[in-house]
Amino acid sequence: MGRLQDLSNLLLAVAALIGAITTFYQAIAKTKHNAPPNDMSVDDIQNEIKKLQKKLKEDKHD
């Protein structure tokens, strides 16, 4: 009877470990999925800054 209890405890521990690993993997996958896009080049960023600066100047003059 003692060995059956040990086996049961081992199975519960393995199941808990698998659940923890699965949860950890899902958290990492969600973080990567929600990450901001990193594909903007320096030129794109500079152009975006210039557009925003121009818009800000126009808004100030209005």
Side-chain angles (χ1 to χ4, degrees):
M1 189 72 173
R3 289 181 184 229
L4 187 60
Q5 185 66 36
D6 291 342
L7 181 60
S8 176
N9 288 341
L10 178 63
L11 288 174
L12 285 173
V14 169
L17 181 61
I18 291 172
I21 291 171
T22 302
T23 303
F24 182 69
Y25 175 77
Q26 287 174 345
I28 290 175
K30 184 177 180 181
T31 302
K32 285 185 179 181
H33 179 70
N34 291 337
N38 224 5
D39 58 351
M40 289 184 75
S41 68
V42 174
D43 292 334
D44 292 339
I45 294 171
Q46 287 176 340
N47 288 337
E48 186 68 23
I49 290 172
K50 287 178 184 177
K51 286 179 192 176
L52 292 172
Q53 286 174 336
K54 184 178 178 182
K55 183 177 178 184
L56 183 63
K57 285 180 184 178
E58 289 173 357
D59 289 348
K60 281 185 178 180
H61 289 344
D62 288 344

Coordinates of all heavy atoms in Angstrom, one line a residue:
M1 N 0.8 -1.2 0.0 CA 0.0 0.0 0.0 C 0.9 1.3 0.0 O 0.5 2.2 -0.6 CB -0.9 0.0 1.2 CG -2.0 1.0 1.2 SD -3.2 0.7 0.0 CE -4.4 1.9 0.3
G2 N 2.0 1.2 0.7 CA 2.9 2.3 0.7 C 3.5 2.7 -0.6 O 3.6 3.9 -1.0
R3 N 3.8 1.7 -1.4 CA 4.3 2.0 -2.8 C 3.3 2.6 -3.7 O 3.6 3.4 -4.5 CB 4.8 0.7 -3.4 CG 6.1 0.2 -2.7 CD 6.5 -1.1 -3.4 NE 7.7 -1.6 -2.7 CZ 8.8 -2.0 -3.3 NH1 8.9 -1.9 -4.6 NH2 9.8 -2.5 -2.6
L4 N 2.0 2.2 -3.5 CA 1.0 2.8 -4.3 C 0.8 4.3 -4.0 O 0.6 5.1 -4.9 CB -0.3 2.0 -4.1 CG -1.5 2.4 -5.0 CD1 -1.2 2.2 -6.4 CD2 -2.7 1.6 -4.6
Q5 N 0.9 4.6 -2.7 CA 0.8 6.0 -2.2 C 2.0 6.8 -2.8 O 1.8 7.9 -3.2 CB 0.8 6.1 -0.7 CG 0.6 7.5 -0.2 CD -0.8 8.0 -0.5 OE1 -1.8 7.3 -0.5 NE2 -0.8 9.3 -0.8
D6 N 3.2 6.2 -2.8 CA 4.4 6.9 -3.4 C 4.2 7.1 -4.8 O 4.6 8.2 -5.3 CB 5.6 6.0 -3.1 CG 6.1 6.0 -1.7 OD1 5.6 6.8 -0.9 OD2 6.8 5.1 -1.3
L7 N 3.7 6.1 -5.5 CA 3.4 6.3 -7.0 C 2.4 7.4 -7.2 O 2.6 8.2 -8.2 CB 3.0 5.0 -7.6 CG 2.7 5.0 -9.1 CD1 4.0 5.3 -9.8 CD2 2.2 3.6 -9.5
S8 N 1.4 7.4 -6.4 CA 0.4 8.5 -6.6 C 0.9 9.9 -6.3 O 0.7 10.8 -7.1 CB -0.8 8.2 -5.6 OG -1.7 9.2 -5.6
N9 N 1.8 10.0 -5.3 CA 2.4 11.3 -5.0 C 3.4 11.7 -6.2 O 3.4 12.9 -6.5 CB 3.2 11.2 -3.7 CG 2.3 11.2 -2.5 OD1 1.1 11.5 -2.6 ND2 2.8 10.7 -1.4
L10 N 4.1 10.7 -6.7 CA 5.0 11.0 -7.8 C 4.2 11.5 -9.0 O 4.6 12.5 -9.7 CB 5.8 9.8 -8.2 CG 6.7 9.9 -9.4 CD1 7.8 10.9 -9.1 CD2 7.4 8.6 -9.7
L11 N 3.1 10.8 -9.3 CA 2.2 11.2 -10.5 C 1.7 12.7 -10.3 O 1.6 13.5 -11.2 CB 1.1 10.3 -10.7 CG 1.5 8.9 -11.3 CD1 0.3 8.0 -11.4 CD2 2.1 9.1 -12.7
L12 N 1.2 12.9 -9.0 CA 0.7 14.3 -8.7 C 1.8 15.3 -8.9 O 1.6 16.4 -9.4 CB 0.2 14.3 -7.3 CG -1.2 13.7 -7.1 CD1 -1.6 13.7 -5.7 CD2 -2.2 14.4 -7.9
A13 N 3.0 15.0 -8.5 CA 4.2 15.9 -8.6 C 4.5 16.2 -10.1 O 4.8 17.3 -10.5 CB 5.4 15.4 -7.9
V14 N 4.5 15.1 -10.9 CA 4.8 15.2 -12.3 C 3.7 16.1 -13.0 O 4.0 16.9 -13.8 CB 4.9 13.9 -13.0 CG1 5.0 14.0 -14.5 CG2 6.2 13.2 -12.4
A15 N 2.5 15.8 -12.6 CA 1.4 16.6 -13.2 C 1.5 18.1 -12.9 O 1.3 19.0 -13.7 CB 0.0 16.1 -12.8
A16 N 1.8 18.4 -11.6 CA 2.0 19.8 -11.2 C 3.2 20.4 -11.9 O 3.1 21.6 -12.3 CB 2.2 19.8 -9.7
L17 N 4.2 19.7 -12.1 CA 5.4 20.2 -12.9 C 5.0 20.5 -14.3 O 5.4 21.6 -14.8 CB 6.5 19.2 -12.8 CG 7.8 19.6 -13.5 CD1 8.4 20.9 -12.9 CD2 8.9 18.5 -13.4
I18 N 4.3 19.6 -14.9 CA 3.9 19.8 -16.3 C 2.9 21.1 -16.4 O 3.1 21.9 -17.3 CB 3.2 18.6 -16.9 CG1 4.2 17.5 -17.1 CG2 2.4 18.9 -18.2 CD1 3.6 16.1 -17.4
G19 N 2.1 21.2 -15.4 CA 1.2 22.4 -15.4 C 1.9 23.7 -15.2 O 1.7 24.7 -15.9
A20 N 3.0 23.7 -14.4 CA 3.8 24.9 -14.2 C 4.5 25.2 -15.4 O 4.6 26.4 -15.8 CB 4.7 24.6 -13.0
I21 N 5.1 24.2 -16.1 CA 5.9 24.5 -17.3 C 4.9 25.0 -18.4 O 5.3 26.0 -19.1 CB 6.6 23.2 -17.8 CG1 7.7 22.9 -16.8 CG2 7.1 23.3 -19.2 CD1 8.3 21.5 -17.0
T22 N 3.7 24.5 -18.5 CA 2.8 24.9 -19.5 C 2.4 26.4 -19.3 O 2.3 27.2 -20.2 CB 1.5 24.0 -19.5 OG1 1.9 22.7 -19.7 CG2 0.5 24.4 -20.5
T23 N 2.1 26.7 -18.0 CA 1.7 28.1 -17.6 C 2.9 29.0 -18.0 O 2.7 30.1 -18.5 CB 1.4 28.1 -16.1 OG1 0.3 27.2 -15.9 CG2 0.9 29.5 -15.8
F24 N 4.1 28.6 -17.6 CA 5.3 29.5 -17.9 C 5.4 29.7 -19.4 O 5.6 30.8 -19.9 CB 6.5 28.8 -17.4 CG 7.8 29.6 -17.6 CD1 8.0 30.8 -16.9 CD2 8.8 29.1 -18.4 CE1 9.2 31.5 -17.0 CE2 9.9 29.8 -18.6 CZ 10.1 31.0 -17.9
Y25 N 5.2 28.6 -20.2 CA 5.3 28.7 -21.7 C 4.3 29.7 -22.2 O 4.5 30.5 -23.1 CB 5.2 27.4 -22.3 CG 5.2 27.4 -23.8 CD1 6.3 27.6 -24.6 CD2 4.0 27.3 -24.5 CE1 6.3 27.7 -25.9 CE2 3.9 27.3 -25.9 CZ 5.1 27.6 -26.6 OH 5.1 27.6 -28.0
Q26 N 3.0 29.6 -21.7 CA 2.0 30.4 -22.2 C 2.3 31.9 -21.8 O 2.0 32.8 -22.6 CB 0.6 30.0 -21.6 CG 0.1 28.7 -22.1 CD -1.1 28.2 -21.4 OE1 -1.5 28.7 -20.3 NE2 -1.8 27.3 -22.0
A27 N 2.8 32.2 -20.7 CA 3.2 33.5 -20.3 C 4.2 34.1 -21.2 O 4.1 35.2 -21.7 CB 3.6 33.6 -18.9
I28 N 5.2 33.3 -21.6 CA 6.3 33.7 -22.5 C 5.7 34.0 -23.9 O 6.0 35.0 -24.5 CB 7.4 32.7 -22.6 CG1 8.2 32.7 -21.2 CG2 8.4 33.0 -23.7 CD1 9.2 31.7 -21.1
A29 N 4.8 33.1 -24.3 CA 4.2 33.2 -25.7 C 3.4 34.5 -25.7 O 3.4 35.2 -26.7 CB 3.4 32.0 -26.0
K30 N 2.6 34.8 -24.7 CA 1.8 35.9 -24.7 C 2.6 37.2 -24.7 O 2.3 38.2 -25.3 CB 0.9 35.9 -23.4 CG -0.1 37.1 -23.4 CD -1.0 37.0 -22.2 CE -2.0 38.2 -22.2 NZ -2.9 38.2 -21.1
T31 N 3.7 37.2 -23.9 CA 4.6 38.4 -23.9 C 5.2 38.6 -25.2 O 5.3 39.8 -25.7 CB 5.7 38.1 -22.8 OG1 5.1 37.9 -21.6 CG2 6.6 39.3 -22.8
K32 N 5.6 37.6 -25.9 CA 6.2 37.7 -27.3 C 5.2 38.2 -28.2 O 5.4 39.0 -29.1 CB 6.8 36.4 -27.7 CG 8.1 36.1 -27.1 CD 8.8 34.9 -27.7 CE 10.1 34.6 -27.0 NZ 10.7 33.4 -27.6
H33 N 3.9 37.7 -28.1 CA 2.9 38.1 -29.0 C 2.5 39.6 -28.9 O 2.2 40.3 -29.8 CB 1.6 37.2 -28.8 CG 0.5 37.5 -29.7 ND1 0.5 37.3 -31.0 CD2 -0.7 38.1 -29.4 CE1 -0.7 37.7 -31.5 NE2 -1.4 38.2 -30.6
N34 N 2.5 40.1 -27.6 CA 2.1 41.4 -27.4 C 3.3 42.4 -27.5 O 3.1 43.6 -27.2 CB 1.5 41.6 -26.0 CG 0.2 40.9 -25.9 OD1 -0.5 40.7 -26.9 ND2 -0.2 40.5 -24.7
A35 N 4.5 42.0 -27.8 CA 5.6 42.8 -27.9 C 5.4 43.8 -29.0 O 4.8 43.5 -30.1 CB 6.9 42.0 -28.1
P36 N 5.9 45.0 -28.9 CA 5.8 46.0 -29.9 C 6.6 45.6 -31.1 O 7.7 45.0 -31.0 CB 6.3 47.3 -29.3 CG 7.2 46.9 -28.2 CD 6.6 45.6 -27.7
P37 N 6.2 46.0 -32.3 CA 7.0 45.7 -33.5 C 8.3 46.4 -33.5 O 8.4 47.5 -33.1 CB 6.1 46.2 -34.7 CG 5.2 47.2 -34.1 CD 5.0 46.8 -32.7
N38 N 9.3 45.6 -33.9 CA 10.7 46.2 -33.8 C 11.2 46.3 -35.2 O 12.4 46.4 -35.4 CB 11.5 45.2 -33.0 CG 12.4 45.9 -32.1 OD1 12.3 47.1 -31.9 ND2 13.3 45.2 -31.4
D39 N 10.4 46.4 -36.2 CA 10.8 46.4 -37.6 C 11.0 47.8 -38.2 O 11.3 47.9 -39.4 CB 9.9 45.6 -38.5 CG 8.5 46.1 -38.4 OD1 8.2 47.0 -37.6 OD2 7.7 45.6 -39.2
M40 N 10.9 48.9 -37.4 CA 11.1 50.2 -37.9 C 12.6 50.5 -38.1 O 13.3 50.3 -37.1 CB 10.4 51.2 -37.0 CG 8.9 51.2 -37.1 SD 8.2 52.5 -36.1 CE 8.4 53.9 -37.1
S41 N 12.9 51.1 -39.2 CA 14.3 51.4 -39.4 C 14.6 52.8 -38.8 O 13.6 53.5 -38.4 CB 14.7 51.4 -40.9 OG 14.0 52.5 -41.5
V42 N 15.8 53.2 -38.7 CA 16.2 54.5 -38.2 C 15.5 55.6 -39.0 O 15.0 56.6 -38.5 CB 17.7 54.7 -38.1 CG1 18.1 56.1 -37.6 CG2 18.3 53.6 -37.1
D43 N 15.6 55.4 -40.3 CA 15.0 56.4 -41.2 C 13.5 56.6 -41.0 O 13.0 57.7 -41.0 CB 15.3 56.1 -42.7 CG 16.7 56.2 -43.1 OD1 17.5 56.9 -42.4 OD2 17.2 55.4 -44.0
D44 N 12.8 55.4 -40.8 CA 11.4 55.5 -40.5 C 11.1 56.3 -39.3 O 10.1 57.1 -39.2 CB 10.8 54.1 -40.4 CG 10.8 53.3 -41.8 OD1 10.9 54.0 -42.8 OD2 10.8 52.1 -41.7
I45 N 11.9 56.0 -38.2 CA 11.7 56.7 -37.0 C 11.9 58.2 -37.1 O 11.2 59.0 -36.6 CB 12.6 56.0 -35.9 CG1 12.1 54.6 -35.6 CG2 12.6 56.9 -34.6 CD1 13.1 53.8 -34.7
Q46 N 13.0 58.5 -37.8 CA 13.3 60.0 -38.0 C 12.2 60.6 -38.8 O 11.8 61.8 -38.5 CB 14.7 60.1 -38.7 CG 15.8 59.8 -37.8 CD 17.2 59.9 -38.6 OE1 17.2 59.8 -39.8 NE2 18.3 60.0 -37.8
N47 N 11.7 60.0 -39.8 CA 10.6 60.6 -40.6 C 9.3 60.7 -39.7 O 8.6 61.8 -39.8 CB 10.2 59.7 -41.8 CG 11.3 59.8 -42.9 OD1 12.0 60.7 -42.9 ND2 11.4 58.7 -43.7
E48 N 9.1 59.8 -38.9 CA 7.9 59.9 -37.9 C 8.1 61.0 -37.0 O 7.2 61.8 -36.7 CB 7.8 58.5 -37.2 CG 6.5 58.5 -36.3 CD 5.2 58.4 -37.1 OE1 5.3 58.0 -38.3 OE2 4.2 58.8 -36.6
I49 N 9.3 61.2 -36.5 CA 9.6 62.3 -35.6 C 9.4 63.7 -36.3 O 8.7 64.6 -35.7 CB 11.0 62.2 -35.0 CG1 11.1 61.1 -34.0 CG2 11.4 63.5 -34.3 CD1 12.5 60.8 -33.6
K50 N 9.8 63.8 -37.5 CA 9.6 65.0 -38.3 C 8.2 65.3 -38.5 O 7.7 66.4 -38.4 CB 10.4 64.9 -39.6 CG 11.9 65.0 -39.5 CD 12.6 64.9 -40.8 CE 14.1 64.9 -40.6 NZ 14.8 64.7 -41.9
K51 N 7.4 64.2 -38.8 CA 6.0 64.4 -39.0 C 5.3 64.9 -37.8 O 4.5 65.9 -37.8 CB 5.3 63.1 -39.5 CG 5.6 62.7 -40.9 CD 4.9 61.4 -41.2 CE 5.4 60.7 -42.4 NZ 4.7 59.4 -42.6
L52 N 5.7 64.3 -36.7 CA 5.1 64.8 -35.4 C 5.5 66.2 -35.0 O 4.7 66.9 -34.5 CB 5.4 63.8 -34.3 CG 4.8 62.4 -34.4 CD1 5.4 61.4 -33.4 CD2 3.3 62.4 -34.3
Q53 N 6.7 66.5 -35.3 CA 7.2 67.9 -35.0 C 6.4 68.9 -35.8 O 6.0 70.0 -35.4 CB 8.7 68.0 -35.2 CG 9.5 67.3 -34.1 CD 11.0 67.3 -34.4 OE1 11.4 67.4 -35.6 NE2 11.8 67.2 -33.4
K54 N 6.2 68.6 -37.1 CA 5.5 69.4 -38.0 C 4.1 69.6 -37.5 O 3.5 70.7 -37.5 CB 5.6 68.9 -39.4 CG 4.9 69.8 -40.5 CD 5.0 69.1 -41.9 CE 4.4 70.0 -42.9 NZ 4.4 69.4 -44.2
K55 N 3.5 68.5 -37.2 CA 2.1 68.6 -36.7 C 2.0 69.4 -35.4 O 1.1 70.2 -35.2 CB 1.6 67.2 -36.4 CG 0.1 67.1 -36.0 CD -0.4 65.7 -35.8 CE -1.8 65.7 -35.3 NZ -2.3 64.4 -35.1
L56 N 3.0 69.3 -34.5 CA 3.0 70.0 -33.3 C 3.1 71.5 -33.6 O 2.4 72.3 -33.0 CB 4.1 69.5 -32.4 CG 4.2 70.2 -31.0 CD1 3.0 69.9 -30.2 CD2 5.5 69.7 -30.3
K57 N 4.0 71.9 -34.5 CA 4.1 73.3 -34.9 C 2.8 73.9 -35.5 O 2.4 75.0 -35.2 CB 5.3 73.5 -35.9 CG 6.6 73.3 -35.3 CD 7.7 73.5 -36.3 CE 9.1 73.3 -35.7 NZ 10.1 73.4 -36.8
E58 N 2.2 73.1 -36.3 CA 0.9 73.5 -36.9 C -0.2 73.7 -35.8 O -0.9 74.6 -35.9 CB 0.4 72.5 -37.9 CG 1.3 72.5 -39.2 CD 0.9 71.4 -40.2 OE1 0.0 70.6 -39.8 OE2 1.5 71.3 -41.2
D59 N -0.2 72.8 -34.9 CA -1.2 72.9 -33.8 C -0.9 74.1 -32.9 O -1.9 74.7 -32.4 CB -1.2 71.6 -32.9 CG -1.8 70.4 -33.7 OD1 -2.4 70.6 -34.8 OD2 -1.6 69.3 -33.2
K60 N 0.3 74.5 -32.7 CA 0.7 75.6 -31.9 C 0.3 76.9 -32.6 O -0.1 77.9 -32.0 CB 2.2 75.7 -31.6 CG 2.6 74.7 -30.5 CD 4.1 74.9 -30.2 CE 4.5 74.1 -29.1 NZ 5.9 74.3 -28.8
H61 N 0.4 76.9 -33.9 CA 0.1 78.2 -34.7 C -1.4 78.4 -34.8 O -1.9 79.5 -35.1 CB 0.7 78.2 -36.0 CG 2.2 78.3 -36.0 ND1 2.9 78.8 -34.9 CD2 3.2 78.1 -36.9 CE1 4.2 78.8 -35.2 NE2 4.4 78.4 -36.4
D62 N -2.2 77.3 -34.7 CA -3.7 77.4 -34.8 C -4.3 78.0 -33.6 O -4.1 78.4 -32.7 CB -4.3 76.0 -35.0 CG -3.9 75.5 -36.4 OD1 -3.5 76.4 -37.3 OD2 -4.1 74.3 -36.7

